[in-house]
C-alpha cells in the first residue's frame, strides 16, 4: 500500500465512501475512516474544508476487507 497521508481535507460533495476510494483506492475502507473520525458521523455529504484524520498504514493492514457493503450503506440500498 502506498504511503497514506495523515489527514484529508474535504471538498464539497465528498462522502465517506468517496473519500475512502480517493485515499485507499477502495470504498470499503470507509468504515475504518469513519471509526477514526467519529465526531463527523452526522455528515453523509461533506462541505468543503473539514480536516479528517486518516487511519495509518498499520491500522489499515490490521483490517480485513469485507465483500459486503458497510452496514450503514446496506441500509441505504434497501
Amino acid at each position: 500500500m502506498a504511503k497514506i497521508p495523515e489527514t484529508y481535507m474535504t471538498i464539497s460533495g465528498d462522502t465517506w465512501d468517496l473519500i475512502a476510494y480517493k485515499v485507499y483506492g477502495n470504498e470499503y475502507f470507509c468504515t475504518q475512516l469513519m471509526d477514526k473520525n467519529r465526531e463527523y458521523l452526522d455528515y453523509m455529504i461533506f462541505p468543503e474544508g473539514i480536516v479528517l484524520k486518516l487511519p495509518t498504514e498499520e491500522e489499515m493492514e490490521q483490517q480485513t476487507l469485507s465483500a459486503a457493503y458497510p452496514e450503514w450503506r446496506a441500509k441505504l440500498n434497501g
Side-chain angles (χ1 to χ4, degrees):
M1 185 176 285
K3 174 87 170 119
I4 299 170
E6 292 183 15
T7 61
Y8 174 86
M9 184 176 293
T10 62
I11 60 171
S12 182
D14 271 345
T15 59
W16 291 106
D17 53 347
L18 179 59
I19 296 167
Y21 183 79
K22 287 179 183 180
V23 174
Y24 304 110
N26 194 317
E27 67 273 14
Y28 295 117
F29 288 117
C30 69
T31 302
Q32 292 88 338
L33 181 62
M34 293 168 80
D35 283 344
K36 188 83 173 187
N37 295 280
R38 293 195 165 276
E39 65 271 27
Y40 298 112
L41 290 180
D42 289 339
Y43 288 99
M44 290 185 72
I45 301 173
F46 285 94
E48 182 175 348
I50 293 179
V51 178
L52 299 175
K53 297 171 281 195
L54 297 176
T56 64
E57 290 181 49
E58 293 80 24
E59 291 170 323
M60 294 305 294
E61 288 173 3
Q62 292 173 2
Q63 302 294 325
T64 58
L65 182 60
S66 171
Y69 278 114
E71 183 178 330
W72 67 271
R73 184 66 187 255
K75 289 179 184 178
L76 291 177
N77 291 341

